[in-house]
Amino acid sequence: MGSYQIAVLPGDGIGKEVTSGAVEILKAIGTRFGHQFAFKYGLIGGEAIDQKGTPLPDETLAICRESDAVLLGAVGGPKWDRNPAHLRPEKGLLQIRKEMNLFANLRPVKFYDSLTESSPLKEEVIQGVDLLIVRELTGGLYFGKPSGRMVENGEEKAVDTLLYKKEEIKRIVKAAFELARKRKKKVTSVDKANVLESSRMWREIAEEIAQDFPDVTLEHMLVDNAAMQLIRSPQQFDVIVTENMFGDILSDEASMLTGSLGMLPSASLSTSGPSLYEPIHGSAPDIAGQNKANPIAAILSAAMMLRLSFGLSKEADTIEKAVQHVLAAGLRTADIAQKGQRAVSTDEMVNEIKAAILDNEAISHIMTVYA
Ligand code: NAD
């Protein structure tokens, strides 16, 4: 029985709906296993800009720093799309990653038997997929300077910079090897070493780190090939480690192996201090406020929090099993429903997962109702 403080940053759009679902699930876990979870709420993103004039207010950062872990929803929306760079919701995300040293973003992609029909890919391609994307989160193109627009000799230009320090690459690649050691012992390091200098340095460092992990196999793959291989034969992967933007793009692609962006959780580990957990999807303005969003990515992010930040593996397993049960019972939000199949709302999905956590008999009830 433990006592934990969790900072909750719902953000914008469906961020609010899915984090409120994940908080419900954490409360249910608290009830079942006798833990105390205290939730402290903070503003981030567009809502923070509207209320405080900045996408990441100091109060939010303070709440996060004094908590044991952070649960984040999503930020952004058309209302702020025309704002200047420093007043964009996404700036809040980049800032929180930098301020809290969230260097390693772990994005597990797991095949669910019951969702075979929801993926656009053939069953034989996705069967058994169980891979982990380890994305570098505090360097690369999203942070390198210079970045901006200029007019030179009457010509308008824009620049972004892909910059990495050796230490930044070392720590993320090392984290990937450590994770692979506990899995299928294979690391695929993804880069663009045929063109980019930063990728050539990345490759050298990966080779260096591999010396310390003789039990783990290292392979290098160019990012364009990796994008293709993820669709052609995703079963070949165990741990994929890559720089910030490549990881961002590849993980959205990989989400379709499970059927929807709404299924993929993530954990962002800090070099020091609390880690942050969030679904990989954005604020989905097209469905925001309609009680339609799939809350599973946020709920599985809460499960990752229990396992990685609090060492509560049994509790994390319970959430994951409850999710599997409701999916096996045929419960589907709109994003994973088949044509003609009844789609449940965000709230219904949360309630059924909660029921499964609190009462094992509820699982059999769900099986009968939705079979
Ligand atoms: P998005 O992930 O918000 O949505 C892409 C598509 O997936 C949409 O059709 C959406 O309806 C669907 N989708 C996403 N999550 C879903 C869920 N849980 N359940 C059901 N369907 C879901 O990406 P986008 O449309 O490119 O971006 C929208 C806004 O979100 C932008 O402002 C963008 O900057 C922001 N964004 C934020 C984050 C973040 O907060 N981490 C990540 C990506 C995008």
Side-chain angles (χ1 to χ4, degrees):
M1 266 178 249
S3 181
Y4 308 91
Q5 181 170 312
I6 300 169
V8 184
L9 316 182
D12 308 311
I14 65 164
K16 291 188 197 314
E17 300 161 57
V18 299
T19 32
S20 114
V23 165
E24 284 298 305
I25 296 304
L26 285 167
K27 285 182 182 163
I29 287 290
T31 306
R32 172 153 179 185
F33 292 91
H35 301 302
Q36 297 285 335
F37 295 116
F39 301 98
K40 276 208 163 175
Y41 285 78
L43 294 170
I44 191 166
E47 198 182 26
I49 295 171
D50 289 350
Q51 292 189 29
K52 302 278 176 187
T54 164
L56 182 67
D58 291 344
E59 306 92 276
T60 300
L61 211 44
I63 292 171
C64 293
R65 288 196 169 122
E66 68 179 41
S67 295
D68 300 307
V70 182
L71 179 68
L72 184 112
V75 301
K79 182 176 178 191
W80 306 280
D81 274 352
R82 291 178 179 277
N83 282 14
H86 69 288
L87 280 183
R88 290 186 63 103
E90 296 77 9
K91 191 79 186 171
L93 272 188
L94 298 182
Q95 263 174 298
I96 202 170
R97 289 170 184 165
K98 205 63 170 177
E99 291 285 343
M100 296 181 68
N101 299 317
L102 301 170
F103 77 107
N105 184 226
L106 316 187
R107 299 183 159 195
V109 181
K110 226 174 177 169
F111 166 77
Y112 287 91
D113 262 326
S114 48
L115 285 188
T116 312
E117 301 296 316
S118 305
S119 173
L121 299 174
K122 290 189 192 128
E123 184 173 353
E124 64 261 33
V125 174
I126 53 174
Q127 188 90 46
V129 165
D130 180 4
L131 60 90
L132 175 67
I133 298 181
V134 179
R135 168 186 168 195
E136 203 290 325
L137 211 54
T138 51
L141 261 182
Y142 295 175
F143 291 98
K145 295 276 180 298
S147 168
R149 287 180 172 224
M150 69 222 71
V151 179
E152 273 176 12
N153 303 326
E155 198 178 13
E156 204 174 332
K157 296 181 180 173
V159 62
D160 294 294
T161 303
L162 206 175
L163 179 87
Y164 270 110
K165 292 183 200 142
K166 186 168 181 181
E167 279 312 307
E168 289 174 325
I169 301 175
K170 264 172 110 169
R171 68 184 182 193
I172 190 78
V173 174
K174 190 160 173 264
F177 271 92
E178 277 162 0
L179 289 157
R181 196 167 243 176
K182 296 185 206 136
R183 297 171 45 98
K184 290 175 273 173
K185 299 189 168 44
K186 181 178 168 190
V187 170
T188 305
S189 173
V190 171
D191 61 36
K192 189 70 183 168
N194 53 344
V195 181
L196 301 175
E197 204 49 54
S198 55
S199 282
R200 285 192 276 273
M201 183 165 106
W202 182 289
R203 224 174 239 224
E204 279 165 28
I205 296 168
E207 291 288 343
E208 231 173 86
I209 302 281
Q211 304 293 318
D212 299 332
F213 294 84
D215 52 327
V216 179
T217 309
L218 168 67
E219 70 171 5
H220 302 284
M221 196 177 276
L222 295 174
V223 64
D224 36 357
N225 185 27
M228 187 272 283
Q229 294 294 342
L230 267 174
I231 300 296
R232 194 182 76 92
S233 66
Q235 297 105 331
Q236 69 182 287
F237 295 107
D238 177 19
V239 174
I240 294 175
V241 63
T242 190
E243 74 91 33
N244 207 340
M245 186 176 75
F246 295 161
D248 194 1
I249 298 170
L250 290 181
S251 51
D252 266 34
E253 182 191 358
S255 74
M256 289 321 288
L257 303 171
T258 61
S260 168
L261 259 181
M263 294 295 299
L264 284 203
S266 87
S268 300
L269 308 183
S270 174
T271 48
S272 55
S275 298
L276 180 147
Y277 300 83
E278 61 176 322
I280 79 156
H281 61 73
S283 58
D286 52 338
I287 56 165
Q290 299 172 36
N291 200 14
K292 263 191 194 167
N294 186 345
I296 292 180
I299 290 170
L300 293 176
S301 302
M304 289 185 87
M305 173 192 292
L306 296 179
R307 183 176 288 117
L308 299 175
S309 281
F310 307 155
L312 301 176
S313 302
K314 193 160 43 113
E315 290 79 346
D317 285 350
T318 303
I319 295 182
E320 285 160 3
K321 288 220 172 74
V323 168
Q324 276 164 15
H325 274 293
V326 297
L327 291 175
L331 222 68
R332 301 281 184 272
T333 40
D335 56 315
I336 48 174
Q338 293 301 294
K339 260 202 182 126
Q341 192 179 11
R342 182 177 97 84
V344 301
S345 67
T346 309
D347 291 346
E348 276 175 276
M349 182 59 98
V350 170
N351 287 339
E352 296 294 0
I353 294 172
K354 193 164 124 185
I357 288 170
L358 289 175
D359 174 6
N360 281 329
E361 278 185 26
I363 292 168
S364 34
H365 164 71
I366 296 166
M367 303 291 277
T368 349
V369 174
Y370 293 98

Short mmCIF file of all heavy atoms in Angstrom, two decimals, residues 166 169-170 173 177 189-193 196-212 218-220:
data_model
loop_
_atom_site.label_atom_id
_atom_site.label_comp_id
_atom_site.label_asym_id
_atom_site.label_seq_id
_atom_site.Cartn_x
_atom_site.Cartn_y
_atom_site.Cartn_z
N LYS A 166 27.22 14.47 -28.22
CA LYS A 166 27.56 13.05 -28.08
C LYS A 166 26.87 12.43 -26.86
O LYS A 166 26.32 11.33 -26.94
CB LYS A 166 29.09 12.91 -27.95
CG LYS A 166 29.53 11.49 -27.95
CD LYS A 166 31.02 11.32 -28.10
CE LYS A 166 31.30 9.82 -28.12
NZ LYS A 166 32.69 9.49 -28.23
N ILE A 169 23.25 11.40 -27.36
CA ILE A 169 23.06 10.16 -28.14
C ILE A 169 23.42 8.95 -27.28
O ILE A 169 22.71 7.94 -27.26
CB ILE A 169 23.92 10.19 -29.43
CG1 ILE A 169 23.52 11.40 -30.29
CG2 ILE A 169 23.77 8.90 -30.22
CD1 ILE A 169 24.37 11.61 -31.53
N LYS A 170 24.52 9.09 -26.53
CA LYS A 170 24.97 7.98 -25.69
C LYS A 170 23.88 7.53 -24.71
O LYS A 170 23.59 6.35 -24.58
CB LYS A 170 26.20 8.41 -24.87
CG LYS A 170 27.51 8.02 -25.50
CD LYS A 170 28.64 8.64 -24.75
CE LYS A 170 29.45 7.62 -23.99
NZ LYS A 170 30.70 8.21 -23.47
N VAL A 173 20.84 5.77 -26.50
CA VAL A 173 21.18 4.46 -27.06
C VAL A 173 21.41 3.45 -25.93
O VAL A 173 20.97 2.30 -26.00
CB VAL A 173 22.41 4.57 -28.00
CG1 VAL A 173 22.86 3.19 -28.46
CG2 VAL A 173 22.09 5.44 -29.21
N PHE A 177 19.52 -0.18 -25.20
CA PHE A 177 20.18 -1.48 -24.97
C PHE A 177 19.71 -2.10 -23.66
O PHE A 177 19.47 -3.30 -23.58
CB PHE A 177 21.70 -1.30 -24.98
CG PHE A 177 22.29 -1.45 -26.36
CD1 PHE A 177 22.48 -0.35 -27.17
CD2 PHE A 177 22.64 -2.70 -26.85
CE1 PHE A 177 23.01 -0.48 -28.45
CE2 PHE A 177 23.18 -2.85 -28.13
CZ PHE A 177 23.36 -1.72 -28.93
N SER A 189 18.93 0.48 -34.65
CA SER A 189 19.21 1.91 -34.56
C SER A 189 18.89 2.54 -35.92
O SER A 189 19.45 2.15 -36.93
CB SER A 189 20.69 2.11 -34.19
OG SER A 189 21.00 3.48 -34.26
N VAL A 190 17.94 3.46 -35.90
CA VAL A 190 17.44 4.03 -37.16
C VAL A 190 18.03 5.43 -37.38
O VAL A 190 17.99 6.27 -36.49
CB VAL A 190 15.90 4.09 -37.15
CG1 VAL A 190 15.37 4.88 -38.34
CG2 VAL A 190 15.32 2.68 -37.15
N ASP A 191 18.59 5.64 -38.57
CA ASP A 191 19.23 6.93 -38.85
C ASP A 191 19.16 7.24 -40.35
O ASP A 191 18.48 6.54 -41.09
CB ASP A 191 20.70 6.90 -38.37
CG ASP A 191 21.52 5.82 -39.09
OD1 ASP A 191 21.28 5.59 -40.30
OD2 ASP A 191 22.38 5.20 -38.44
N LYS A 192 19.87 8.25 -40.77
CA LYS A 192 19.96 8.58 -42.19
C LYS A 192 21.44 8.84 -42.49
O LYS A 192 21.84 9.91 -42.95
CB LYS A 192 19.07 9.82 -42.46
CG LYS A 192 18.89 10.18 -43.91
CD LYS A 192 18.03 9.21 -44.70
CE LYS A 192 17.97 9.61 -46.16
NZ LYS A 192 17.41 8.58 -47.03
N ALA A 193 22.25 7.81 -42.13
CA ALA A 193 23.71 7.98 -42.16
C ALA A 193 24.27 8.14 -43.56
O ALA A 193 25.42 8.56 -43.73
CB ALA A 193 24.37 6.80 -41.46
N LEU A 196 23.17 12.33 -43.54
CA LEU A 196 23.32 13.29 -42.44
C LEU A 196 24.54 13.01 -41.56
O LEU A 196 24.75 11.87 -41.12
CB LEU A 196 22.07 13.27 -41.55
CG LEU A 196 20.74 13.61 -42.22
CD1 LEU A 196 19.58 13.43 -41.23
CD2 LEU A 196 20.75 15.04 -42.74
N GLU A 197 25.29 14.07 -41.28
CA GLU A 197 26.48 13.95 -40.43
C GLU A 197 26.08 13.52 -39.01
O GLU A 197 26.74 12.70 -38.38
CB GLU A 197 27.19 15.32 -40.38
CG GLU A 197 28.66 15.24 -40.04
CD GLU A 197 29.44 14.22 -40.87
OE1 GLU A 197 29.38 14.26 -42.11
OE2 GLU A 197 30.09 13.36 -40.24
N SER A 198 24.97 14.10 -38.51
CA SER A 198 24.52 13.75 -37.16
C SER A 198 24.21 12.26 -37.07
O SER A 198 24.43 11.61 -36.06
CB SER A 198 23.29 14.57 -36.77
OG SER A 198 22.28 14.41 -37.73
N SER A 199 23.70 11.69 -38.16
CA SER A 199 23.39 10.25 -38.18
C SER A 199 24.67 9.42 -38.20
O SER A 199 24.72 8.33 -37.60
CB SER A 199 22.57 9.90 -39.42
OG SER A 199 21.23 10.27 -39.25
N ARG A 200 25.71 9.92 -38.87
CA ARG A 200 26.98 9.16 -38.90
C ARG A 200 27.56 9.11 -37.48
O ARG A 200 28.07 8.10 -37.04
CB ARG A 200 27.95 9.77 -39.91
CG ARG A 200 27.55 9.43 -41.35
CD ARG A 200 28.61 9.75 -42.35
NE ARG A 200 28.59 11.15 -42.78
CZ ARG A 200 27.84 11.63 -43.77
NH1 ARG A 200 27.03 10.82 -44.43
NH2 ARG A 200 27.88 12.91 -44.09
N MET A 201 27.44 10.23 -36.76
CA MET A 201 27.93 10.23 -35.38
C MET A 201 27.07 9.29 -34.53
O MET A 201 27.58 8.53 -33.71
CB MET A 201 27.92 11.65 -34.81
CG MET A 201 28.48 11.73 -33.41
SD MET A 201 28.86 13.42 -32.92
CE MET A 201 27.55 13.77 -31.80
N TRP A 202 25.77 9.34 -34.76
CA TRP A 202 24.82 8.46 -34.03
C TRP A 202 25.24 7.00 -34.20
O TRP A 202 25.31 6.22 -33.26
CB TRP A 202 23.41 8.71 -34.58
CG TRP A 202 22.33 7.92 -33.92
CD1 TRP A 202 22.10 6.58 -34.03
CD2 TRP A 202 21.33 8.43 -33.01
NE1 TRP A 202 21.01 6.21 -33.27
CE2 TRP A 202 20.52 7.33 -32.63
CE3 TRP A 202 21.03 9.69 -32.50
CZ2 TRP A 202 19.43 7.45 -31.77
CZ3 TRP A 202 19.94 9.81 -31.64
CH2 TRP A 202 19.16 8.71 -31.29
N ARG A 203 25.56 6.61 -35.45
CA ARG A 203 25.92 5.23 -35.76
C ARG A 203 27.20 4.82 -35.03
O ARG A 203 27.28 3.72 -34.46
CB ARG A 203 26.13 5.10 -37.27
CG ARG A 203 25.49 3.86 -37.83
CD ARG A 203 25.60 3.84 -39.33
NE ARG A 203 24.26 3.79 -39.91
CZ ARG A 203 23.90 3.00 -40.91
NH1 ARG A 203 24.79 2.21 -41.48
NH2 ARG A 203 22.68 3.00 -41.39
N GLU A 204 28.20 5.71 -35.04
CA GLU A 204 29.47 5.40 -34.36
C GLU A 204 29.23 5.17 -32.87
O GLU A 204 29.76 4.23 -32.27
CB GLU A 204 30.43 6.61 -34.46
CG GLU A 204 31.17 6.71 -35.77
CD GLU A 204 31.80 8.09 -35.93
OE1 GLU A 204 32.14 8.75 -34.91
OE2 GLU A 204 31.93 8.51 -37.09
N ILE A 205 28.39 6.04 -32.29
CA ILE A 205 28.13 5.92 -30.85
C ILE A 205 27.37 4.63 -30.54
O ILE A 205 27.66 3.94 -29.56
CB ILE A 205 27.37 7.17 -30.32
CG1 ILE A 205 28.27 8.39 -30.47
CG2 ILE A 205 26.93 6.99 -28.88
CD1 ILE A 205 27.56 9.72 -30.27
N ALA A 206 26.42 4.29 -31.41
CA ALA A 206 25.66 3.04 -31.21
C ALA A 206 26.62 1.85 -31.20
O ALA A 206 26.50 0.94 -30.36
CB ALA A 206 24.60 2.90 -32.28
N GLU A 207 27.59 1.86 -32.12
CA GLU A 207 28.59 0.78 -32.17
C GLU A 207 29.39 0.72 -30.87
O GLU A 207 29.67 -0.36 -30.34
CB GLU A 207 29.58 1.01 -33.34
CG GLU A 207 28.98 0.85 -34.73
CD GLU A 207 28.68 -0.60 -35.07
OE1 GLU A 207 29.21 -1.51 -34.41
OE2 GLU A 207 27.88 -0.82 -36.02
N GLU A 208 29.74 1.89 -30.38
CA GLU A 208 30.54 2.00 -29.14
C GLU A 208 29.77 1.40 -27.94
O GLU A 208 30.30 0.60 -27.19
CB GLU A 208 30.74 3.50 -28.86
CG GLU A 208 32.15 3.94 -28.60
CD GLU A 208 32.14 5.47 -28.52
OE1 GLU A 208 31.88 6.03 -27.42
OE2 GLU A 208 32.35 6.09 -29.58
N ILE A 209 28.50 1.81 -27.83
CA ILE A 209 27.67 1.35 -26.70
C ILE A 209 27.46 -0.17 -26.80
O ILE A 209 27.46 -0.88 -25.79
CB ILE A 209 26.29 2.06 -26.69
CG1 ILE A 209 26.46 3.57 -26.62
CG2 ILE A 209 25.37 1.52 -25.59
CD1 ILE A 209 26.76 4.13 -25.27
N ALA A 210 27.31 -0.65 -28.03
CA ALA A 210 27.03 -2.09 -28.24
C ALA A 210 28.13 -2.97 -27.63
O ALA A 210 27.87 -4.10 -27.22
CB ALA A 210 26.88 -2.38 -29.74
N GLN A 211 29.36 -2.43 -27.56
CA GLN A 211 30.48 -3.21 -26.97
C GLN A 211 30.17 -3.63 -25.53
O GLN A 211 30.62 -4.66 -25.08
CB GLN A 211 31.77 -2.35 -26.92
CG GLN A 211 32.22 -1.77 -28.24
CD GLN A 211 32.66 -2.84 -29.21
OE1 GLN A 211 33.35 -3.77 -28.81
NE2 GLN A 211 32.22 -2.74 -30.45
N ASP A 212 29.40 -2.78 -24.83
CA ASP A 212 29.08 -3.09 -23.42
C ASP A 212 27.90 -4.04 -23.28
O ASP A 212 27.53 -4.41 -22.17
CB ASP A 212 28.73 -1.80 -22.66
CG ASP A 212 29.89 -0.82 -22.66
OD1 ASP A 212 31.04 -1.29 -22.74
OD2 ASP A 212 29.63 0.40 -22.60
N LEU A 218 22.92 -5.59 -32.37
CA LEU A 218 22.66 -4.24 -32.91
C LEU A 218 22.59 -4.31 -34.42
O LEU A 218 23.43 -4.92 -35.07
CB LEU A 218 23.79 -3.29 -32.51
CG LEU A 218 23.82 -1.94 -33.23
CD1 LEU A 218 22.62 -1.07 -32.84
CD2 LEU A 218 25.12 -1.18 -32.94
N GLU A 219 21.54 -3.69 -35.00
CA GLU A 219 21.53 -3.52 -36.45
C GLU A 219 21.24 -2.06 -36.75
O GLU A 219 20.62 -1.36 -35.94
CB GLU A 219 20.51 -4.43 -37.13
CG GLU A 219 19.08 -4.03 -36.86
CD GLU A 219 18.05 -4.81 -37.70
OE1 GLU A 219 18.43 -5.74 -38.43
OE2 GLU A 219 16.86 -4.48 -37.59
N HIS A 220 21.75 -1.57 -37.88
CA HIS A 220 21.47 -0.19 -38.29
C HIS A 220 20.49 -0.24 -39.45
O HIS A 220 20.55 -1.14 -40.28
CB HIS A 220 22.75 0.50 -38.77
CG HIS A 220 23.83 0.54 -37.72
ND1 HIS A 220 23.79 1.40 -36.67
CD2 HIS A 220 24.96 -0.20 -37.58
CE1 HIS A 220 24.86 1.20 -35.91
NE2 HIS A 220 25.58 0.22 -36.44
#
